Amino acid sequence: MELWRRAPEAGSRRSQRQRAAAELRAQGRYGPELRDALPGFIGLGLAVAVPTGFLAWMYRQLGVLGLVLGVALLAGAVVPCARWRRAAARRRGGIYTPGELEGLDAHGLAVAAERMLRRDGWHVISMPHHGQPRLYARDRRGRQLDVAVRRAEQPVDDEADEATGTAPLREAGRPGVDSLIRLVISQGQFSRTDVLWASRQGGVHLLDGHQLQRWANGTALDDLGLPG
């Protein structure tokens, strides 16, 4: 009888611990579990073991000279890797160099725009339209953005959109959303025809290559003339 009573009590305590852990995890206050931390520990172990084993092998083969050569080879490999990781972290934070922007296609430019919007505090959702990249974003002030990207040589007028299959901007806004700001991003310059077309549409903001570089360099989108 005593054992029968203890078993439900143990199960109840286990359930309580699981519920408490689930609540802490939902609040972001629960630390990582072993399966979450294990890949990091394995990576750290390899990062230490592989160079150490390589230096030991070089020392056995060539003595002190091998050790010096091994250190030089590792340094030559570590520096480019560190630079690549810093550049990747910078791009994830929404900062791009002009050269990096020039090498992007339409989808890559959309990814860059998404990261820059997040950097500026926008909540962004990627919603491609007919295979073309398109972003929707909202900021703390309630403003909403419909972001389209285009290649430097691609016009933005309606007729060109129908010819190339790109979704015309007049179809981008969701019904009933009058405050939607439609933003077109280009790596190149907009023609006078493009500017006149945008002015006729209403609510369309063009961001050319020069402004794009400023935005990618850390300037906030609001400081580039985004309607408020």
Side-chain angles (χ1 to χ4, degrees):
M1 189 68 175
E2 185 70 21
L3 292 175
W4 181 84
R5 288 179 179 176
R6 289 178 181 175
E9 291 177 359
S12 177
R13 287 195 297 270
R14 183 163 55 250
S15 299
Q16 290 175 359
R17 288 196 299 269
Q18 291 174 348
R19 285 197 297 270
E23 291 176 1
L24 290 174
R25 193 176 292 110
Q27 298 171 7
R29 297 162 52 193
Y30 192 80
E33 297 181 356
L34 178 60
R35 65 173 178 268
D36 299 323
L38 189 58
F41 285 128
I42 293 176
L44 180 61
L46 290 175
V48 173
V50 171
T52 302
F54 174 71
L55 291 176
W57 180 81
M58 290 290 290
Y59 181 74
R60 287 195 300 269
Q61 297 298 318
L62 301 174
V64 176
L65 178 61
L67 188 61
V68 173
L69 289 175
V71 170
L73 289 174
L74 288 176
V78 166
V79 172
C81 289
R83 290 177 179 172
W84 179 85
R85 291 187 61 183
R86 286 196 298 269
R90 170 176 51 75
R91 289 191 295 269
R92 285 194 299 270
I95 302 295
Y96 286 76
T97 65
E100 290 168 343
L101 288 176
E102 290 176 2
L104 298 176
D105 59 9
H107 292 276
L109 184 56
V111 171
E114 180 177 353
R115 291 172 174 175
M116 289 186 278
L117 284 168
R118 294 186 190 279
R119 182 201 71 200
D120 289 349
W122 293 78
H123 176 70
V124 189
I125 300 175
S126 176
M127 298 182 65
H129 189 87
H130 293 308
Q132 297 297 321
R134 175 145 284 139
L135 306 172
Y136 287 97
R138 180 192 294 271
D139 69 353
R140 299 183 184 91
R141 296 159 54 184
R143 292 180 300 174
Q144 298 181 64
L145 276 181
D146 169 22
V147 184
V149 300
R150 69 152 200 172
R151 298 183 300 276
E153 71 279 3
Q154 178 184 353
V156 298
D157 59 85
D158 289 350
E159 293 180 0
D161 286 338
E162 293 172 359
T164 59
T166 304
L169 285 177
R170 63 165 177 257
E171 296 179 3
R174 289 170 291 173
V177 182
D178 298 329
S179 60
L180 190 69
I181 303 170
R182 295 179 292 177
L183 180 68
V184 184
I185 300 173
S186 174
Q187 294 158 307
Q189 302 301 313
F190 292 102
S191 67
R192 183 174 179 273
T193 302
D194 295 334
V195 175
L196 291 175
W197 171 86
S199 66
R200 290 195 301 266
Q201 301 303 307
V204 175
H205 184 74
L206 302 180
L207 192 77
D208 63 18
H210 176 68
Q211 293 173 308
L212 176 63
Q213 290 181 9
R214 290 180 58 198
W215 189 26
N217 195 41
T219 301
L221 187 58
D222 286 333
D223 295 334
L224 296 175
L226 184 71

